[in-house]
Amino acid sequence: MAAELAGVKKTALPKARFIGICYTEKDRENGTFGAKWGEWFATNRFQALEALGALEESEGAYAAAMRMTEGGRDMEYWIGMLFPAGTEAPEGYAYVDMAPQEYALLWIRGNEQSGEIYGETAWNLCLGALQKNGWTIKEDGWSFEIYNCPRFTTPDQDGNVILDYLIPLN
């Protein structure tokens, strides 16, 4: 099965703080940030964040926050979690504050091991859904991959999971 769009709706996040670690294009391995995620799990980096009390709207999920830097020359790719505004970052972690924002919430269903729920194929599914709904992306906004439990952590009978994408809207 190829990745498919399992749902789409509008949602909003309040003013928030994303706490984690920022990576850039030079941190990619084989075109992905998968090795960085592996490091996070191998070193229990989420443990310090889980103790802080995540943003209610994020359901306590692990997340990646992404945006193009000014001028579109590089991409910031943060691994971490969303928290209420003003939450103090633990030592060794950085943060970025985010303004309230309306988002398209899109669920992409597919096989996590094949990588089909990531990258260009998944992004094109999201763009098609935005276009179909007449929504436009807010330039220079933060997009998110949300690894929600149990949608992402518990495969269905066919071995597929759902990755949540949040894409900022104008």
Side-chain angles (χ1 to χ4, degrees), residues 89-153:
E91 186 175 333
Y93 296 82
Y95 69 86
V96 61
D97 289 327
M98 301 186 174
Q101 177 66 52
E102 186 173 57
Y103 289 90
L105 171 58
L106 306 109
W107 295 281
I108 304 295
R109 178 186 295 119
N111 185 289
E112 195 268 335
Q113 298 302 314
S114 74
E116 66 188 10
I117 60 174
Y118 306 108
E120 188 176 353
T121 300
W123 184 250
N124 287 338
L125 284 171
C126 292
L127 292 179
L130 295 177
Q131 185 177 41
K132 180 179 177 181
N133 285 287
W135 302 337
T136 57
I137 297 174
K138 178 182 179 195
E139 296 296 322
D140 300 324
W142 287 95
S143 294
F144 298 91
E145 295 170 343
I146 306 291
Y147 298 86
N148 192 296
C149 180
R151 285 190 296 276
F152 185 80
T153 57

Side-chain angles (χ1 to χ4, degrees), residues 40-75:
W40 272 70
F41 290 115
T43 60
N44 294 318
R45 283 194 183 133
F46 283 108
Q47 187 174 14
L49 298 182
E50 289 170 342
L52 298 177
L55 184 70
E56 183 178 331
E57 291 83 353
S58 74
E59 300 178 39
Y62 302 157
M66 303 159 283
R67 74 172 175 177
M68 295 304 292
T69 58
E70 193 172 315
R73 290 183 296 274
D74 198 7
M75 182 177 84

Side-chain angles (χ1 to χ4, degrees), residues 9-69:
K9 71 176 186 174
K10 275 190 181 180
T11 191
L13 290 180
K15 184 177 179 182
R17 177 168 281 177
F18 192 91
I19 299 175
I21 296 175
C22 180
Y23 301 99
T24 63
E25 294 291 338
K26 70 180 185 320
D27 297 304
R28 286 184 190 260
E29 291 183 30
N30 300 317
T32 76
F33 293 97
K36 295 300 177 193
W37 281 92
E39 288 175 19
W40 272 70
F41 290 115
T43 60
N44 294 318
R45 283 194 183 133
F46 283 108
Q47 187 174 14
L49 298 182
E50 289 170 342
L52 298 177
L55 184 70
E56 183 178 331
E57 291 83 353
S58 74
E59 300 178 39
Y62 302 157
M66 303 159 283
R67 74 172 175 177
M68 295 304 292
T69 58

